[in-house]
Amino acid sequence: ATSADEARTKVRIGSVACFDRPVVVQGKRLSGKALDDRVGCAVLVEALRRLEAPVSDVYAVFSIHEEVGARGAGPAAFSIEPTMGIAIDVTPTGDTPEGEKLPVKLGDGVAIKVKDRSLLTHPKVKDHLAELAEKAGIKHQYEVLGYGGTDAGTIHTTRAGIPSGAISIPVRYVHTPVEMVDLDDVEASVELTCALLESPAPDLV
């Protein structure tokens, strides 16, 4: 549109728009829009496909409005009241030239969240995820983020408090239409999710 009047003939105030672009795969790298958090959904779906012998009841929640206050995760956690809550989400990388320096790197494996602005991961949850990764030989790294948050930030304050953490998939160029993941990191995230669901929950008292 070249004017406001012309634009109004095509859309109304409140109309929703999004970028239209294909997914591109080059080697081990996949780039596309909205990998935050399409890739988290993909990790969870694939983990559920592979899951053979869960040792506990498993509730998989694909929640809404995470980016505007994790508004879907809170009611879900309140209803389920789980023993432990794990968000599967992305985390930004800090490995681009002249970019923000962060400890997470693309290709260095699944990231186990230590903290972000919404959550200090329950230490027993963090240690449990790390032990599972080490035992299974899953390539992993640790996420220390000074901003942002995930559904775990809402889950852990639900009811009387739910021990929570996050399995994080490294993503470069997060919140742009060209977000990028390393497929080996995605596979490591699936493997850690499966290991978690097939292992007894730690003593969280």
Side-chain angles (χ1 to χ4, degrees):
T2 57
S3 68
D5 287 340
E6 183 184 354
R8 290 189 189 99
T9 68
K10 301 178 184 299
V11 295
R12 294 182 298 176
I13 293 172
S15 295
V16 176
C18 66
F19 290 98
D20 180 15
R21 69 174 306 267
V23 169
V24 177
V25 180
Q26 291 182 312
K28 293 286 187 178
R29 302 288 161 89
L30 181 150
S31 177
K33 69 166 188 171
L35 295 183
D36 177 15
D37 196 24
R38 286 176 171 176
V39 70
C41 294
V43 164
L44 184 52
V45 167
E46 182 60 22
L48 293 172
R49 283 179 177 158
R50 297 184 192 181
L51 190 60
E52 294 182 0
V55 297
S56 304
D57 291 338
V58 174
Y59 294 85
V61 177
F62 298 83
S63 62
I64 62 168
H65 293 178
E66 184 269 342
E67 294 288 358
V68 290
R71 296 171 185 165
F78 188 93
S79 175
I80 296 166
E81 196 174 3
T83 302
M84 179 171 58
I86 300 291
I88 301 177
D89 207 334
V90 307
T91 188
T93 63
D95 57 355
T96 52
E98 300 182 17
E100 181 182 14
K101 300 307 176 188
L102 295 167
V104 174
K105 293 180 173 59
L106 212 63
D108 274 9
V110 57
I112 297 169
K113 186 181 291 292
V114 175
K115 72 168 289 290
D116 58 31
R117 192 177 64 182
S118 73
L119 173 77
L120 286 170
T121 300
H122 191 291
K124 291 187 177 180
V125 173
K126 174 178 59 67
D127 292 345
H128 182 58
L129 290 171
E131 289 167 8
L132 290 171
E134 288 164 8
K135 183 178 179 180
I138 299 168
K139 192 174 183 180
H140 62 286
Q141 54 191 316
Y142 294 94
E143 174 197 4
V144 179
L145 191 62
Y147 54 87
T150 69
D151 285 333
T154 294
I155 295 169
H156 87 284
T157 59
T158 299
R159 289 190 179 264
I162 297 167
S164 300
I167 291 173
S168 299
I169 305 123
V171 170
R172 191 179 286 171
Y173 318 125
V174 71
H175 293 170
T176 75
V178 291
E179 293 178 325
M180 179 184 290
V181 295
D182 185 291
L183 294 176
D184 285 342
D185 294 342
V186 176
E187 173 62 23
S189 302
V190 173
E191 292 173 1
L192 183 54
T193 303
C194 287
L196 173 67
L197 298 179
E198 293 175 347
S199 301
D203 180 6
L204 298 169
V205 178

